[in-house]
Amino acid sequence: MKLISKNDPISCITASEKSFLLAHNSGIINQYGLPNAVLMHTIEPISSPGGVDISFRPSIGADVRALAFNQNCSRFAMIDKSGRLFCYDFEANNDDTNREGKWLSITKYQDVWDIKWSSDHSDYLAIYEKNRVLILD
């Protein structure tokens, strides 16, 4: 199995007991199951808006700088090279694609430099933005 492409190198990785995420420079994020590294999800960036608000979804070339799974691996958060925060929910239904998984609408956090999910509650996310710490639910 080929996990790395010479044309689209890995920019970030995170792992849990169940799976790991590989983010590529193009903005594509792949989730692989452990222990066999079986591809579970491919999350592609947005190429054209098509009249839909996409400000809460990363665009092509997002260049991920940080990734983190929540406690039960149902969501992940990411920060791109511009410091914008994005969150993805694997269990949510996406009406646009009729598939499981969708980006959550979080648009007001633009200068995030670190993220940390709660170890005892899967919905709490701490973000470090500029000179403050915020807890999101």
Side-chain angles (χ1 to χ4, degrees):
M1 173 189 300
K2 187 174 182 180
L3 298 178
I4 301 172
S5 169
K6 291 181 182 179
N7 299 332
D8 192 12
I10 294 172
S11 63
C12 197
I13 186 170
T14 190
S16 71
E17 294 176 0
K18 300 176 189 176
S19 63
F20 65 96
L21 294 174
L22 292 179
H24 298 270
N25 282 350
S26 66
I28 293 173
I29 300 171
N30 292 322
Q31 180 187 24
Y32 295 92
L34 290 175
N36 298 329
V38 175
L39 181 62
M40 296 169 60
H41 289 96
T42 296
I43 304 160
E44 297 189 16
I46 303 307
S47 58
S48 61
V52 178
D53 178 21
I54 61 164
S55 59
F56 58 90
R57 298 189 281 192
S59 59
I60 288 180
D63 200 4
V64 179
R65 295 293 183 207
L67 281 173
F69 271 121
N70 69 347
Q71 175 205 16
N72 63 3
C73 299
S74 62
R75 294 179 178 175
F76 74 87
M78 67 171 255
I79 304 170
D80 72 0
K81 67 181 174 185
S82 302
R84 294 182 304 162
L85 174 69
F86 300 98
C87 287
Y88 190 85
D89 188 343
F90 288 109
E91 296 176 347
N93 290 325
N94 190 336
D95 296 332
D96 296 334
T97 62
N98 294 323
R99 294 181 1 192
E100 281 190 22
K102 73 176 194 175
W103 291 102
L104 303 177
S105 182
I106 299 177
T107 59
K108 61 183 179 178
Y109 305 106
Q110 302 293 320
D111 285 326
V112 178
W113 54 272
D114 200 8
I115 48 180
K116 178 73 175 162
W117 287 96
S118 171
S119 60
D120 59 350
H121 195 284
S122 61
D123 291 335
Y124 292 148
L125 174 65
I127 64 169
Y128 302 86
E129 181 186 38
K130 295 183 183 176
N131 59 354
R132 61 186 179 167
V133 176
L134 302 169
I135 308 298
L136 306 180
D137 180 14

